[in-house]
Amino acid sequence: MQTLPRVLCSSDAISSATSPATTRAQGLGLLGCGTVGSGVARRLLASHPGLIRGIAVRDPHKSRDIAWDDFSSDAFDLVDDPAVRVVVECIGGLGLARELILRAIARGKDVVTANKDLIATEGPWLAAFAARTGASLRYEAAVGGAIPIVRALGSSLAGEHVLEIGGVLNGTTNFILDAMESGARYDEALEEAQRLGFAESDPRSDVDGHDAAHKLAILAGLAFRRPSVSRSLGRRGIADISSADIEAGAARGLRLKLLAVARRAGDAIEAGVTPAYVPEDHPFARARGAENVVRVLGRGCGPLVFSGAGAGGDATASAVVADVLAALESRERVPAHDGEDLVVRSLRAPVLVRFADGRVVMGDAISLDALEASGAGGRRDVASIIPVWSDAA
Ligand code: HSE
């Protein structure tokens, strides 16, 4: 676990956290007003007039379709405003957004963010930092868009012994695979996903599996109640998937999905992100367009399937606003995890091998790491090797 930056642990920063001005304030500072931020602003301006104290954006003069005309370019000033108690970060990424969140936590404010990159790489220590300053950190919108899975794992399922968590966690890649099933080309489907506001600003994060790995790390931390970060997860994306791979699956009653799953395997946790064939009647196969499907398999609760809008401004804004309301009422914090960091090993699954001459054969179970290392086994006659999902017996 990372140590706290000295400057942010100073007694000044922590004492300002509990100043009466901050504790009494009810105002909200919105950082960023893009696809998600503008959705949040629109909803809150309609439902809670007077709540938004300021909106900080990179270019205050850009025209935006929301009823607000006093944009500021000084996000740090807005975070520091004593009238702001809840800071909503909708900038994304690990640069400025991270600095602003650190500052807000240092000042003991309630932070709401959709920033999966940050939570998946630094969430455990940020939660520990927040616990020290009296701040709170909520990130329902970081996983599954509108699907309330973060809160479900943190509270409703807090007593469950989770055996497996995951499924289809990236809307953009699901949209692309779905469109390719219907005959679209990969690049046109990706362009459409970008136009509809599903993709990340750099869509390589979607198609290379980074976004899904971030979300899986967050879910695994919550499900197994241990600090978890995404760098330890094996990951393959969909950039190499061809229509022939999709057709080979369809001919066998299988749909191709980008799966992100973590599950108990003996004493270990097996986890990873990979394109995989899934039987057509499996819950993971049901995600359509930009939908996500998250399945929690628990010893007591059995399989619970959560599905719905996994990407897009409105869906994500819905989850952000729910966190804002929880922060205002000081309800349902995401619990901070402690203990040893979660150790994962690579996911294993049997594979479907498609040869260049059109033959398709089922291969033995192999780990994602081994698959990554061997590629197509260096053989020209092998067109693709794709795992076939099998539920634990
Ligand atoms: N780019 C992400 C996705 C947005 O496609 O799932 C929601 O996190």
Side-chain angles (χ1 to χ4, degrees):
M1 186 173 288
Q2 276 175 270
T3 50
L4 309 184
R6 276 183 85 77
V7 64
L8 294 168
C9 291
S10 73
S11 53
D12 277 2
I14 292 177
S15 64
S16 70
T18 49
S19 75
T22 307
T23 357
R24 279 199 305 271
Q26 284 291 327
L28 179 147
L30 178 59
L31 312 176
C33 201
T35 309
V36 176
S38 58
V40 171
R42 248 178 248 117
R43 277 165 184 259
L44 289 176
L45 288 169
S47 64
H48 290 72
L51 174 67
I52 298 182
R53 168 90 186 169
I55 303 179
V57 292
R58 191 167 38 195
D59 176 6
H61 305 296
K62 183 173 159 185
S63 122
R64 291 178 171 83
D65 184 22
I66 61 169
W68 187 268
D69 53 15
D70 189 21
F71 292 98
S72 136
S73 60
D74 194 338
F76 288 94
D77 210 37
L78 183 56
V79 169
D80 289 348
D81 184 341
V84 166
R85 191 187 115 193
V86 183
V87 172
V88 179
E89 184 274 308
C90 294
I91 297 171
L94 299 175
L96 177 63
R98 177 180 185 277
E99 292 301 309
L100 291 164
I101 286 178
L102 288 176
R103 184 130 159 173
I105 293 177
R107 280 152 181 66
K109 306 210 173 188
D110 292 311
V111 174
V112 174
T113 179
N115 194 326
K116 54 246 163 159
D117 306 38
L118 182 63
I119 299 299
T121 49
E122 303 192 57
W125 86 265
L126 287 175
F129 183 26
R132 285 183 63 174
T133 66
S136 68
L137 181 62
R138 290 177 171 82
Y139 47 87
E140 182 64 68
V143 186
I147 302 170
I149 185 63
V150 169
R151 194 163 303 176
L153 287 169
S155 56
S156 313
L157 295 168
E160 184 56 61
H161 180 82
V162 176
L163 303 169
E164 179 200 294
I165 178 82
V168 175
L169 302 184
N170 181 268
T172 299
T173 45
N174 199 67
F175 181 90
I176 293 172
L177 293 173
D178 218 29
M180 286 173 74
E181 263 183 31
S182 311
R185 284 202 334 260
Y186 175 91
D187 48 352
E188 13 175 87
L190 173 56
E191 257 175 48
E192 182 66 356
Q194 288 178 285
R195 196 185 64 74
L196 293 169
F198 300 146
E200 297 301 297
S201 49
D202 179 353
R204 281 176 299 185
S205 176
D206 296 294
V207 298
D208 291 348
H210 290 287
D211 180 81
H214 289 330
K215 291 166 176 167
L216 180 61
I218 295 171
L219 291 184
L222 290 163
F224 303 117
R225 288 184 277 284
R226 299 265 287 279
S228 156
V229 290
S230 51
R231 65 176 166 274
S232 57
L233 299 177
R235 174 190 51 75
R236 290 174 74 207
I238 65 158
D240 296 335
I241 295 297
S242 66
S243 301
D245 293 322
I246 292 175
E247 285 157 19
R252 289 160 183 78
L254 303 168
R255 298 191 75 201
L256 195 49
K257 295 288 173 191
L258 184 68
L259 294 191
V261 182
R263 60 185 177 188
R264 292 186 196 270
D267 291 339
I269 300 289
E270 200 175 88
V273 177
T274 181
Y277 290 114
V278 184
E280 273 164 1
D281 58 354
H282 192 282
F284 295 158
R286 287 185 215 140
R288 294 283 169 185
E291 284 177 350
N292 285 186
V293 174
V294 186
R295 183 174 68 172
V296 183
L297 206 53
R299 190 180 276 164
C301 66
L304 299 176
V305 180
F306 300 72
S307 63
D314 280 344
T316 312
S318 165
V320 171
V321 169
D323 272 351
V324 167
L325 300 183
L328 290 174
E329 294 173 25
S330 296
R331 286 186 285 118
E332 294 166 356
R333 288 167 183 235
V334 181
H337 307 296
D338 49 23
E340 296 295 311
D341 290 2
L342 194 69
V343 177
V344 298
R345 69 179 190 208
S346 184
L347 204 58
R348 285 178 68 81
V351 289
L352 207 64
V353 183
R354 189 168 62 78
F355 289 91
D357 63 8
R359 278 177 308 127
V360 177
V361 299
M362 192 76 176
D364 291 340
I366 176 171
S367 77
L368 275 191
D369 280 353
L371 192 54
E372 196 59 32
S374 69
R379 292 171 49 169
R380 288 229 179 104
D381 58 337
V382 174
S384 67
I385 307 178
I386 297 177
V388 180
W389 179 256
S390 58
D391 284 337

